[in-house]
Amino acid sequence: MRTPRPRAAAAMAFLAFAAPVAPPAKLPDPATFHWAMELPAAPWVAFRGVVNFDKAGIGPMNMMYPVPNPAGLLVAVLTHAAIAKGSREAQKTKIEKEADQVLEPFSGVINTFGYADLAERSKPWALTGTQLPVLPRGAPHPDTWVVLVNPVYSITQDQTTLVLDNTIAIYAPGETKRTSYINTVRVIADAQVEPDPLAHWTADDGAQLKDRSAHLLAESLDIAFADAMAPVTEAPFRTVRYQEGSEERMERGQPIVEQCDRVLLRSLRGTLMSVPVKRLECAPAQGAQAAAAAAPAGGGG
């Protein structure tokens, strides 16, 4: 297992790339204003199994209906569509339940892992967001900017990798309905190369699983803050191949930060993704990219 290097090096390298020259006034620098973080209402951190929907589609359904007139044809088409949709939803639910079976051996850890513990553990890793005090849910905040987080974690079927999907909303002081910024950040951790991944994650009351989850939370918030303060980039779209556990995936998007073994990109949906890629030789011109790669990306270890 690789041991985490000092977070300061990672933070400085990340900001050298992603931080804006002049942040918009409506989204102030977290270091200069009063901020707080609001956690989900549920007590326990949400986990699920990584799902592969590649085989979730269903083939053509050749169904015959008596069609006496045009109205009957419309009814037949609508009926066929409803049956097909129901079949797809049932298959999707079945696949999700099967994927969640990977969580069973982790139940002793994740069923007692609370959001308050997650937020506290994330502080040593955070550059900005998770160093902030936690605001009670729904409490007034007349003088405080609030970051509402909704982190959901997934475990790959080979048990080697954690994936975080965190929907992050930022509210101005006193505001409870209109967001100043909202986006979903996905951070895929580097796969853990361990003889027994389950033992690695669950040892010492799940310390590794909890700390890695906190590390991903901290990175997702740092990415969101940098994105909220930065101007929108017009980088060309391209397909990025990345690793999710032992599986290779593809995503088309706009690369924002490219490191030797990690890419931060904006997907076609506008969401942000920090993904591990196969390690490449860094060109001298990459400068800060090489420095960033020398420090752990939030998904890295």
Side-chain angles (χ1 to χ4, degrees):
M1 180 187 71
R2 291 188 299 158
T3 55
R5 291 177 284 271
R7 67 180 179 86
M12 294 303 295
F14 181 83
L15 284 188
F17 264 113
V21 175
K26 68 175 182 177
L27 293 174
D29 183 342
T32 60
F33 281 74
H34 294 295
W35 288 82
M37 181 168 60
E38 190 170 315
L39 300 173
W44 311 120
V45 178
F47 282 84
R48 62 192 181 191
V50 167
V51 180
N52 185 355
F53 286 122
D54 290 346
K55 298 180 181 180
I58 58 176
M61 298 179 62
N62 297 319
M63 305 178 68
M64 297 182 66
Y65 300 94
V67 184
N69 51 51
L73 175 62
L74 177 60
V75 171
V77 170
L78 294 176
T79 301
H80 177 83
I83 293 174
K85 180 179 179 181
S87 298
R88 286 192 296 268
E89 289 299 320
Q91 190 170 10
K92 178 181 176 183
T93 300
K94 180 176 181 290
I95 292 173
E96 289 174 340
K97 287 183 177 179
E98 291 175 349
D100 285 346
Q101 291 177 5
V102 74
L103 302 179
E104 291 180 4
F106 295 89
S107 60
V109 174
I110 63 179
N111 289 346
T112 58
F113 185 23
Y115 281 109
D117 186 14
L118 173 67
E120 185 63 29
R121 287 173 180 267
S122 66
K123 290 182 179 180
W125 296 108
L127 174 65
T128 50
T130 48
Q131 293 183 354
L132 309 176
V134 174
L135 183 75
R137 193 168 182 84
H141 54 101
D143 303 314
T144 304
W145 285 77
V146 171
V147 184
L148 177 62
V149 300
N150 186 29
V152 177
Y153 294 89
S154 302
I155 299 176
T156 56
Q157 296 300 312
D158 62 6
Q159 301 180 338
T160 65
T161 305
L162 272 178
V163 179
L164 167 64
D165 289 288
N166 189 12
T167 300
I168 300 167
I170 299 178
Y171 293 87
E175 185 62 66
T176 59
K177 296 181 179 180
R178 187 180 60 180
T179 60
S180 295
Y181 173 88
I182 185 168
N183 207 344
T184 297
V185 180
R186 167 170 284 198
V187 185
I188 301 177
D190 293 340
Q192 292 297 299
V193 182
E194 298 287 341
D196 188 344
L198 177 62
H200 167 76
W201 291 122
T202 57
D204 192 20
D205 194 28
Q208 289 289 343
L209 183 69
K210 294 174 181 178
D211 286 345
R212 184 58 57 85
S213 299
H215 194 177
L216 299 185
L217 175 63
E219 166 128 7
S220 71
L221 283 166
D222 290 343
I223 289 172
F225 272 117
D227 184 59
M229 294 186 294
V232 176
T233 57
E234 295 299 335
F237 284 88
R238 65 180 175 85
T239 299
V240 175
R241 295 178 180 270
Y242 64 92
Q243 293 299 126
E244 186 180 74
S246 58
E247 300 291 330
E248 184 179 66
R249 309 289 189 194
M250 292 186 296
E251 185 75 26
R252 188 159 184 82
Q254 294 173 297
I256 301 171
V257 181
E258 294 190 74
Q259 302 171 2
C260 297
D261 56 0
R262 182 161 287 270
V263 173
L264 173 65
L265 61 93
R266 192 182 310 278
S267 73
L268 293 173
R269 301 174 300 279
T271 61
L272 298 166
M273 298 176 63
S274 174
V275 298
V277 296
K278 291 184 178 179
R279 183 178 292 274
L280 303 173
E281 292 296 328
C282 291
Q286 286 181 292
Q289 288 174 331

